[in-house]
Amino acid sequence: MHHLIVDNVAKTYGETRALKGVSLAVEKGELFGLIGPDGAGKTTLLRSICTLLVPDSGSITVAGLDISRDVPAIRAILGYMPQRFSLYQDLSVAQNLRFFADLFQVPKHERPERLARLYHFSRLEPFKSRLAGNLSGGMKQKLALSCALIHTPEILVLDEPTFGVDPVSRQEFWEILHQIRAGGTTIVVSTAYMDEADQCDRIALFFEGEIAAMGSPAAVKGAFPYRVYRLSGTALQDLKTFLEGQPEVRGIQLFGDALHVSFSEKPSPETWREWARRGGFPGLRWEEISPSIEDVFLAHMAGETA
Amino acid sequence: MNEIAVQTQNLTRRFGKFTAVDRLTITVSRGEIFGFLGANGAGKTTAIRMLCGLLLPSEGEATVAGFDVYKSSEAIKKNIGYMSQRFSLYDDLTISENIDFFGGVYGLSPALIEERKEALIEQVGLGDFRKRLTRDLPLGFKQRLALGSAMLHDPPIIFLDEPTSGVDPRARREFWSIINELAAAGKTVFVTTHFMDEAEYCHRVSIMRAGKLIALDSPGKLKESYGRNNMQDVFVALVNDEDPRPEEQL
């Protein structure tokens, strides 16, 4: 069953076409990721889903409710965590939670059990008297998430929740999202960190107001038309110059201690030996690796995918 | 020519009873792209502030571009550039005004600012945009402008703080190609980031935890040593590990 349906949604700000007719459908209980750089249109779409913005055209339904007609009903079943930290810095953790519980009219008798659950996964209980302004970046994000969950929404919308959060807190945050999803909540989350695509059930690659690709992370990566190799063990700059002259080479990226090279076809062992000999790279090592989401994204930007 | 760009020996900084950086010893070569990673509060920012001449150490030694951090903080500031993709430029100034501002901050003469401004605008391909507000620039341009502004005074060492977070993959790869060229030409590049994709572009990566250096190697060697496929997993494993090193080293 589709829990969220976005159909041909467009939105223009002045001369900027933020969304150019976007369509997608999210299943109930799915963890769906909008992956794309800043300015791709992610926030505009998420704000539209949350009834905070009216698209110029197209339609969006959340649990069968229409964002243009059923605003209060949608807000009652939807939790939204905006991009910028939106809590009261001069209230404590517990006070912020109580404020949101009041705002969403959570019945008093249900609060102890809900708070216990939120404190359990966020591990914020020891800090409940601390002012929100004094929390670390990772803890602030967990508090904002807890506030968005206080009314036990059916669908949770998160706008770049892991931006600027250190890698450990980020990993922990994703684990919490997996737990929430396991409880049956639908989650739509945006991120500019390409490597977070693998945390989602399905993703949409967003670029310039359009969806460039959509599907499971494996399926999206599977559409990459080339073979990617990691090359090391030799003078990388020289190797790069050498390979730039080979017709099979589709792309080269120099990393700290390796080259990532994509080829239109898998080079044969003879070809590798020939290159190592002809270019003078005796120590050359090569291994095939899976394309990254970034590789896939680039191929889409260049119009190179099927 | 001195081939060491940055060298520290037991560099330590305390705030009251709290030791933010604890006996940090590193040597960074000229032309190296050096990554500086750590969780929030690990001591990265404090270490970088000492290396930029913004904060005096409590103990230990450090030289940056050959200058002592205790005695020559002003000389250090003239020999480093600092760029952060999201925060470097003033959105409500024009491109031309931003460059004037940075030139002024780095102490260049008006004539030199004009000369380098033209070169930079040309190099970034912003000729038609010079009178436009910076906020109207596409991100990829903004980022190259930020880098150019941080290097107006031609410093031998550049600090980059999450330089490509949020930019599209093509702009990110172009940016790192520029960084590789700068490094090949002898610039030393310090990268601090939470973005493990950026760590992969470094020649060597250092990881700090609770003020101490807990790992230092190339991304490939770190992945190999810890049996992980990517830097994200290496980082999480290292930082979550209760005691990754023998007691006597701590």
Side-chain angles (χ1 to χ4, degrees), chain A residues 6-275:
Chain A
V6 174
D7 185 22
N8 203 20
V9 167
K11 176 75 187 174
T12 301
Y13 298 106
E15 288 173 16
T16 309
R17 294 173 69 201
L19 294 175
K20 302 173 186 168
V22 168
S23 299
L24 56 85
V26 179
E27 304 280 320
K28 191 159 174 48
E30 195 172 29
L31 174 47
F32 191 90
L34 302 180
I35 318 283
D38 293 0
K42 306 187 298 291
T43 297
T44 301
L45 179 59
L46 294 182
R47 290 178 57 88
S48 305
I49 293 168
C50 296
T51 73
L52 297 169
L53 197 93
V54 182
D56 299 336
S57 59
S59 71
I60 301 179
T61 58
V62 180
L65 302 162
D66 189 311
I67 57 153
S68 60
R69 289 194 310 265
D70 308 315
V71 172
I74 289 177
R75 289 187 185 179
I77 59 161
L78 183 142
Y80 172 52
M81 181 172 158
Q83 200 168 5
R84 300 280 161 252
F85 185 64
S86 58
L87 304 177
Y88 292 90
Q89 311 259 2
D90 49 359
L91 292 185
S92 69
V93 168
Q95 286 167 331
N96 266 296
L97 284 165
R98 204 181 112 194
F99 175 78
F100 279 86
D102 289 345
L103 203 60
F104 284 101
Q105 298 168 339
V106 177
K108 287 267 190 303
H109 66 272
E110 289 183 15
R111 292 187 186 189
E113 188 258 321
R114 285 198 198 179
L115 285 176
R117 200 156 38 84
L118 294 172
Y119 279 139
H120 174 72
F121 78 68
S122 68
R123 295 192 230 151
L124 284 173
E125 187 147 31
F127 306 97
K128 64 186 187 187
S129 316
R130 189 177 288 192
L131 294 186
N134 295 337
L135 297 174
S136 72
M139 288 202 279
K140 278 182 183 166
Q141 294 308 81
K142 288 193 289 183
L143 176 57
L145 176 64
S146 302
C147 291
L149 286 169
I150 193 86
H151 58 302
T152 37
E154 293 175 21
I155 178 163
L156 180 63
V157 176
L158 310 143
D159 196 359
E160 296 204 26
T162 55
F163 170 68
V165 174
D166 75 58
V168 173
S169 308
R170 191 188 308 160
Q171 183 60 37
E172 193 191 357
F173 196 88
W174 278 105
E175 280 162 18
I176 292 173
L177 291 189
H178 292 149
Q179 284 175 37
I180 294 169
R181 191 195 97 214
T185 308
T186 306
I187 304 177
V188 181
V189 56
S190 72
T191 179
Y193 296 112
M194 303 274 151
D195 58 352
E196 293 186 334
D198 288 323
Q199 302 276 1
C200 304
D201 298 326
R202 279 195 309 140
I203 55 171
L205 296 188
F206 245 71
F207 186 62
E208 292 185 342
E210 290 177 296
I211 293 176
M214 187 155 50
S216 68
V220 168
K221 286 184 198 170
F224 189 69
Y226 309 129
R227 315 292 291 252
V228 187
Y229 281 76
R230 180 181 190 277
L231 310 183
S232 59
T234 186
L236 297 176
Q237 196 72 51
D238 295 344
L239 179 61
K240 180 167 180 276
T241 310
F242 174 81
L243 287 173
E244 274 162 357
Q246 304 305 321
E248 303 91 329
V249 172
R250 284 289 170 270
I252 303 184
Q253 189 66 29
L254 177 58
F255 286 88
D257 57 358
L259 278 188
H260 287 193
V261 184
S262 43
F263 296 93
S264 48
E265 278 168 50
K266 185 180 169 120
S268 67
E270 294 75 47
T271 308
W272 283 115
R273 280 195 285 275
E274 161 75 8
W275 281 337

